[in-house]
Amino acid sequence: MHQVYLSLGSNIEPEINLPRAIELLAKHGEVLKLSSAWESAAVGSDGPNYLNACALFLTPLSIVELKAQVIHPIEAKLGRKRTADKYAPRTIDIDAVLFDDQSCHDKFWKLAFVVIPLAEINPQLQNPVNHESIIETAAGLRQNVWMEVHPEVLDRFDGYHFRSQN
């Protein structure tokens, strides 16, 4: 089984789409941990604010299979429309940040909306780019960006352990 840290974000009906994405993920594997939802301004556009969260997900799938069989179908089911504008508002965006402790892309480690929820669920993690603790990276990013926690968005999942019914 593979451990994957996923970053989830929505700025179209995020109070509906973020919890729905978590429920759909649970049908394809195990959601071991889930951060709070964090609000932040849209990056690269004047679109509505985002709600972002991080989940620790357990799956038997490879990263390629995970994207093709789980992530992209969930995004499609929730109405994600991929366009040339990579900053366009979206119902849901799901990115693999770490796959079996391997960074999926260096860009994630500079993004507060990824790092802060990730630090919430795994404060012992080390930033793979600069090798500082994720808590230090989160604190540094937090100084330069406005973010507000919204625990009520995902609080129905508190203490609940999701497991695929397959």
Side-chain angles (χ1 to χ4, degrees):
M1 295 297 270
H2 302 284
Q3 286 194 346
V4 188
Y5 285 92
L6 299 171
S7 176
L8 300 92
S10 172
N11 71 341
I12 298 174
E13 298 182 332
E15 296 84 1
I16 295 169
N17 288 313
L18 208 52
R20 187 71 183 120
I22 300 299
E23 292 167 351
L24 291 170
L25 274 172
K27 293 182 178 188
H28 298 280
E30 215 171 326
V31 178
L32 299 176
K33 292 184 181 179
L34 183 62
S35 74
S36 300
W38 288 81
E39 182 180 2
S40 63
V43 173
S45 77
D46 293 330
N49 286 353
Y50 272 83
L51 284 182
N52 292 281
C54 185
L56 174 56
F57 186 65
L58 198 60
T59 180
L61 302 174
S62 71
I63 188 67
V64 172
E65 293 168 329
L66 178 65
K67 288 178 181 180
Q69 297 174 28
V70 178
I71 292 174
H72 293 154
I74 288 173
E75 289 176 336
K77 183 171 186 144
L78 293 179
R80 166 88 188 261
K81 305 281 190 248
R82 292 186 182 274
T83 67
D85 180 2
K86 67 178 185 173
Y87 300 114
R90 55 203 58 183
T91 54
I92 196 70
D93 182 29
I94 304 173
D95 291 308
V97 177
L98 284 169
F99 190 88
D100 288 338
D101 295 325
Q102 296 297 311
S103 179
C104 295
H105 201 294
D106 286 354
K107 70 177 180 182
F108 295 127
W109 308 102
K110 298 175 185 170
L111 302 172
F113 63 85
V114 173
V115 172
I116 290 169
L118 179 58
E120 181 184 341
I121 64 171
N122 188 349
Q124 287 77 40
L125 192 66
Q126 185 179 48
N127 180 324
V129 174
N130 63 14
H131 306 292
E132 70 184 1
S133 77
I134 197 73
I135 293 294
E136 290 173 301
T137 302
L141 291 169
R142 188 86 167 94
Q143 292 176 359
N144 301 314
V145 69
W146 171 82
M147 287 183 72
E148 183 176 317
V149 68
H150 289 272
E152 73 281 0
V153 174
L154 298 173
D155 67 356
R156 72 178 190 219
F157 300 121
D158 282 352
Y160 191 85
H161 190 72
F162 286 102
R163 184 182 302 264
S164 172
Q165 301 304 310
N166 296 343

